Amino acid sequence: MSIRSDSHAVQRTALVILSLITTFVALKLAEDILAPMVLALVTGVILSPLSRILERLGLPNGLVATGVVMLCMVLVGTIAFLVEPLIWRLVDALPRIRWELRDFVEQFRDLIRGLSEVNKEVEEALGTNSVTGAGNGEDVTQSVPKLTDALFFAPVIFAQTLVFLGTLFFFLLTRRGIYDWISDRVTGSLEDTGRVRRRFATAEALVSRYFLAVTVINLALGTALSGALMIIGLPAALVWGVAAAGLNYVPYLGPMAVTAGLLVAGVVAFDGLMVLAPPLIFLALNMTEGQFVTPTLVGRHMSVNPLLVFVSLVVWLWLWGPIGGIVAIPVLVITMTMLDIFGADDIATQRAQDQPEA
């Protein structure tokens, strides 16, 4: 009997492994379709409190879904309009940054003159052997995407945008029916069905609260960083504030990218130990945010193992790139809520007990 049970256990384990491999392969191959769909579902969950408020005002579901989608389009358009000049300013500054870095590396090369192999690698990486056309930064501008490249990717981006907007609209329009259908299908009793529905409601509340808290934190972080960089005289302080606020949505990797960029900016703008001032300022603000502000605003119900967050982030970034980095944490929170790891049933029960008192 034990041999047969062990055989069944091995078969189940092999089936689970094969299912996971198949799932990851499907997610990777269908990236162009599934990535905007999942992003739309996560966005719909985040915006669910706004939808509920509008529904309580007596507005029909179709009008509510249309209004929320239009609001998303306006917000995205506004952000793109505000960020576009900053992007072009950065592109214009790339040649100057490149040659400032070249001078810095040449100074550092003098300190390691005896390491000939390192010198050759540095020269090949920065192109210090080619003097012709150096002042014009021709090799840098050639690395900037051309208009033909943008036109080539335009149909794909347009199609993904339509998939995102369509999925978001129909999810907002029918999300209650979707939750009810899933609850009825995966459960066998009325009690279990009610429990699954409560977990869906708790997942919406937790993800919305998390995103709202993170948005407020990121705006404060970007504002504080811009002000501090203006005080020390770093050019384009507003650009770095916007970049820090946006990249901070991606844990670990986003702050690392901002730190590296600020180190480069410090090398370009300052001399001596002042080159370390911009990244140190950001690290101080980021550590304050990560150790004190975020735990306070997010709350005890959202405590997640850092290793689990990192693994989820790496996997989703590998699957879908930047979109994967955006959806990694919300998908993790939704999954843990549906598995009742956060104690979703207890949260929902406590909320139901508190409502009559309110």
Side-chain angles (χ1 to χ4, degrees), residues 29-42:
L29 294 178
E31 175 183 355
D32 292 339
I33 297 177
L34 293 181
M37 281 187 176
V38 174
L39 181 60
L41 295 177
V42 170

Side-chain angles (χ1 to χ4, degrees), residues 19-29 315-316 318-319:
S19 300
L20 289 175
I21 294 175
T22 304
T23 301
F24 281 120
V25 171
L27 290 174
K28 188 66 175 179
L29 294 178
V315 170
W316 285 101
W318 169 71
L319 283 174

Side-chain angles (χ1 to χ4, degrees), residues 222-241:
T223 303
L225 180 63
S226 296
L229 295 181
M230 287 179 183
I231 293 175
I232 66 173
L234 183 71
L238 180 60
V239 177
W240 289 111

Side-chain angles (χ1 to χ4, degrees), residues 244-315:
L247 291 175
N248 205 48
Y249 282 103
V250 182
Y252 306 129
L253 300 182
M256 288 174 58
V258 176
T259 303
L262 285 174
L263 179 59
V264 173
V267 171
V268 174
F270 303 119
D271 296 321
L273 293 178
M274 274 297 294
V275 301
L276 300 177
L280 289 179
I281 290 174
F282 173 73
L283 288 176
L285 292 174
N286 187 259
M287 290 180 61
T288 303
E289 170 260 318
Q291 297 297 324
F292 302 103
V293 180
T294 297
T296 301
L297 292 182
V298 171
R300 61 183 179 90
H301 293 297
M302 286 290 294
S303 58
V304 183
N305 190 300
L307 176 61
L308 193 59
V309 173
F310 182 77
V311 171
S312 175
L313 183 65
V314 170
V315 170

Side-chain angles (χ1 to χ4, degrees), residues 195-241:
R195 185 180 297 111
V196 173
R197 289 176 180 174
R198 287 194 298 271
R199 290 183 184 180
F200 274 121
T202 304
E204 283 189 347
L206 287 176
V207 173
S208 300
R209 185 175 66 182
Y210 168 80
F211 186 82
L212 178 61
V214 169
T215 299
V216 173
I217 291 170
N218 291 350
L219 290 176
L221 176 66
T223 303
L225 180 63
S226 296
L229 295 181
M230 287 179 183
I231 293 175
I232 66 173
L234 183 71
L238 180 60
V239 177
W240 289 111

Side-chain angles (χ1 to χ4, degrees), residues 39-78:
L39 181 60
L41 295 177
V42 170
T43 304
V45 171
I46 292 172
L47 296 175
S48 58
L50 177 60
S51 299
R52 287 197 296 268
I53 292 175
L54 296 177
E55 290 171 358
R56 289 171 184 172
L57 296 177
L59 298 177
N61 291 339
L63 184 59
V64 170
T66 303
V68 174
V69 171
M70 293 296 294
L71 178 62
C72 286
M73 295 175 63
V74 171
L75 288 177
V76 172
T78 302

